[in-house]
Amino acid sequence: MNVVKVQASIGLKYYKGVIDGSLFDEVVWLSEKLKDVRVCHINATSYGGGVAEILQKEIPLAKGLGLKFDWKTISASPEFFDITKKIHNGLQGADVKISAKEWQTYQNCNTDQVGRINPNDYDVFFVHDPQPAEIISCIGKNGAKWVWRCHIDTAKPNQAIANYFLKFLNMYDASIFTMREYVLKGMEEESFIIEPAIDPLAIKNRHLTRKEAERLVRGFHVDTGRPLVAQISRFDPWKDPMGVVDAYKIAKKKIPGLQLAMIGSMADDDPEGMKIYRELKKYAGNDKDIYVLTNHDALHDLEVNAFQTFSDAIIQKSTREGFGLTVSEALWKETPVIGGNVGGIPTQIRDGETGFLVNNVEECAEKIIYLVQNKDIAKEMGKLGKEDIRKNFLLPRLLRDELKLIEKLVD
Ligand code: UDP
């Protein structure tokens, strides 16, 4: 188990004027009430993907409010992450089989965390996603309250895999899912619905002028005089990267100058990333207008921000998606989003008003063409989208929801 060092704590006061006053007051009040409750978040990785993204920002905000929030990641082998990616895919519905030996490896790694964390040190544990989920049965609850926080789309899970998890998920005092339809059948304790959120103060989300964004995007040899669309996601089959390339190719017939950026970070706990990256590069072929970029190309938060700000549209063509922070991130920058009509994406996009929900490659291509050819409408859509995100999907709201749950559990 590794203790994750986060950036310095940040005061809620910096969110004043961004979030509503009533939310501000509620967060202050709850924080004051719960300031002695010791909370530990446990997940698989401190870098890459949505969970790490959220915790990197939430822990400093909680600390700034005087809350006792810690964050730890499990120590695990690459073999373990190969297995947990299969488990992740299975929980999202893939037809995968986990052998008895693989389950044993999974359990051994969770058991290995025993001794690296003292359950008496905390009052509430938030355990994120499947990787560390069995820790509860290995360590024992020891009087603490335990919450399993599921970030993935478990609406139609592979039942054999779900059944393995249910054995110990039911030891938890509560669970959190992003949407009601994700709640696994067979969960006995109460399940809460809390949507994730983005941090408006993060480098990734702070305001960039169009000029600043353009300069940064140009640094990757993109021709900023021609249209650009981008998908920013882990390289993962559920994000349908090849489908995005197909949609781009169709749209390019109508808009010959069109460019596509496919940007993905290599998450420490996602062994599929490199494989899909290579497949995608091959699939893109020698089209010089497709840019396949990663964090290994010096493309970090500021540059992600620039692509989300500067693109004519952001695509998130997922076929399964727990939530999809990238959708909120783009709308926050007033860039309309073309999103797969799945999972948490429709809760963020108002179809036809702040972006489009698409069901296949052809629809995605059609909406790319529309947004590139109707820049004024696209701009208006982006503006509306920003206000939706401000109201619903900014970090203090997420913290408030978690604090309300903690309040309920420790009362
Ligand atoms: N991300 C990034 N660089 C990349 C690709 C993705 O920083 O090259 C970030 C993205 O901005 C978002 C997170 O990774 O904050 C992905 O979260 P999301 O909920 O969209 O998907 P997940 O990876 O959790 O499935």
Side-chain angles (χ1 to χ4, degrees):
M1 191 85 65
N2 310 300
V3 177
V4 183
K5 287 206 182 81
V6 289
Q7 65 182 72
S9 56
I10 182 150
L12 187 68
K13 65 180 180 196
Y14 295 105
Y15 295 80
K16 243 194 175 135
V18 182
I19 58 170
D20 290 340
S22 54
L23 172 59
F24 186 97
D25 294 345
E26 207 178 351
V27 174
V28 171
W29 185 82
L30 284 163
S31 300
E32 181 55 34
K33 184 165 181 211
L34 300 170
K35 67 179 186 316
D36 294 326
V37 182
R38 301 160 305 162
V39 177
C40 182
H41 283 266
I42 300 174
N43 81 317
T45 174
S46 60
Y47 177 76
V51 182
E53 178 76 21
I54 292 167
L55 292 174
Q56 280 162 12
K57 309 301 178 225
E58 183 185 345
I59 306 298
L61 175 60
K63 284 185 185 292
L65 281 152
L67 289 159
K68 293 188 174 64
F69 270 43
D70 285 340
W71 174 17
K72 298 188 184 202
T73 56
I74 51 171
S75 324
S77 64
E79 187 196 359
F80 172 80
F81 288 127
D82 283 338
I83 296 166
T84 54
K85 187 66 201 285
K86 269 171 80 177
I87 291 174
H88 168 110
N89 289 341
L91 286 173
Q92 292 217 124
D95 183 18
V96 291
K97 292 218 163 36
I98 310 290
S99 67
K101 189 165 166 272
E102 288 174 320
W103 281 126
Q104 194 58 54
T105 305
Y106 171 79
Q107 189 180 52
N108 289 348
C109 175
N110 273 263
T111 310
D112 281 349
Q113 313 306 318
V114 177
R116 298 182 187 180
I117 188 162
N118 183 351
N120 295 318
D121 287 347
Y122 294 97
D123 303 303
V124 181
F125 287 93
F126 281 81
V127 179
H128 296 257
D129 278 345
Q131 298 93 329
E134 197 166 355
I135 263 182
I136 188 170
S137 68
C138 306
I139 295 185
K141 288 172 77 171
N142 267 44
K145 299 291 180 186
W146 289 72
V147 180
W148 186 55
R149 201 315 172 203
C150 177
H151 294 268
I152 57 185
D153 177 347
T154 45
K156 292 186 197 125
N158 175 323
Q159 204 52 48
I161 294 179
N163 287 345
Y164 179 90
F165 277 87
L166 283 166
K167 283 186 291 187
F168 46 82
L169 291 183
N170 281 324
M171 291 177 69
Y172 283 82
D173 297 284
S175 56
I176 306 174
F177 291 84
T178 297
M179 298 183 68
R180 182 58 60 196
E181 51 267 43
Y182 296 172
V183 177
L184 287 167
K185 278 188 206 78
M187 296 290 294
E188 286 162 10
E189 294 305 328
E190 197 172 355
S191 297
F192 296 83
I193 306 305
I194 300 181
E195 286 152 334
I198 62 164
D199 183 10
L201 305 186
I203 291 175
K204 183 176 284 174
N205 296 316
R206 77 170 170 82
H207 178 71
L208 284 181
T209 64
R210 218 174 144 72
K211 255 213 155 82
E212 284 171 312
E214 179 173 8
R215 185 181 58 75
L216 287 161
V217 167
R218 209 185 295 130
F220 294 90
H221 310 295
V222 173
D223 179 351
T224 54
R226 291 195 272 136
L228 172 69
V229 291
Q231 174 158 299
I232 295 156
S233 261
R234 282 181 300 106
F235 295 120
D236 174 301
W238 304 108
K239 313 279 184 185
D240 196 15
M242 316 304 170
V244 178
V245 172
D246 291 341
Y248 152 85
K249 284 187 174 156
I250 297 173
K252 198 168 171 69
K253 290 187 188 139
K254 274 258 164 67
I255 306 169
L258 185 64
Q259 302 168 94
L260 170 68
M262 295 295 290
I263 297 170
S265 53
M266 301 294 168
D268 296 339
D269 65 338
D270 184 358
E272 275 186 312
M274 196 42 90
K275 178 175 157 271
I276 308 256
Y277 166 76
R278 291 204 189 100
E279 285 170 12
L280 178 63
K281 288 276 269 191
K282 219 165 157 187
Y283 199 69
N286 49 14
D287 185 333
K288 297 253 180 319
D289 287 339
I290 303 180
Y291 305 83
V292 182
L293 301 164
T294 77
N295 48 319
H296 299 155
D297 300 298
L299 199 152
H300 303 293
D301 286 359
L302 182 64
E303 293 76 19
V304 167
N305 183 338
F307 274 92
Q308 289 172 332
T309 302
F310 189 76
S311 297
D312 293 282
I314 287 292
I315 302 168
Q316 189 56 61
K317 208 203 146 305
S318 308
T319 53
R320 283 272 200 293
E321 189 62 74
F323 182 69
L325 289 174
T326 50
V327 174
S328 282
E329 287 168 0
L331 289 174
W332 180 244
K333 288 142 199 152
E334 303 190 0
T335 305
V337 181
I338 301 166
N341 191 11
V342 293
I345 295 178
T347 53
Q348 299 173 76
I349 297 176
R350 275 190 276 150
D351 191 24
E353 290 178 61
T354 63
F356 293 104
L357 297 171
V358 296
N359 296 295
N360 52 48
V361 165
E362 291 71 25
E363 283 178 26
C364 184
E366 182 194 314
K367 300 309 177 193
I368 293 173
I369 296 166
Y370 180 83
L371 289 172
V372 168
Q373 291 184 338
N374 294 278
K375 286 201 190 307
D376 289 346
I377 297 176
K379 213 171 173 168
E380 284 312 306
M381 287 180 134
K383 274 208 176 101
L384 271 184
K386 179 167 187 174
E387 180 54 12
D388 285 353
I389 304 310
R390 191 194 69 74
K391 278 201 215 120
N392 302 313
F393 301 119
L394 297 185
L395 190 60
R397 192 275 302 145
L398 171 63
L399 184 60
R400 184 218 37 211
D401 292 352
E402 287 186 6
L403 290 175
K404 277 167 102 170
L405 175 55
I406 294 171
E407 184 189 26
K408 210 168 175 163
L409 290 172
V410 298
D411 245 8

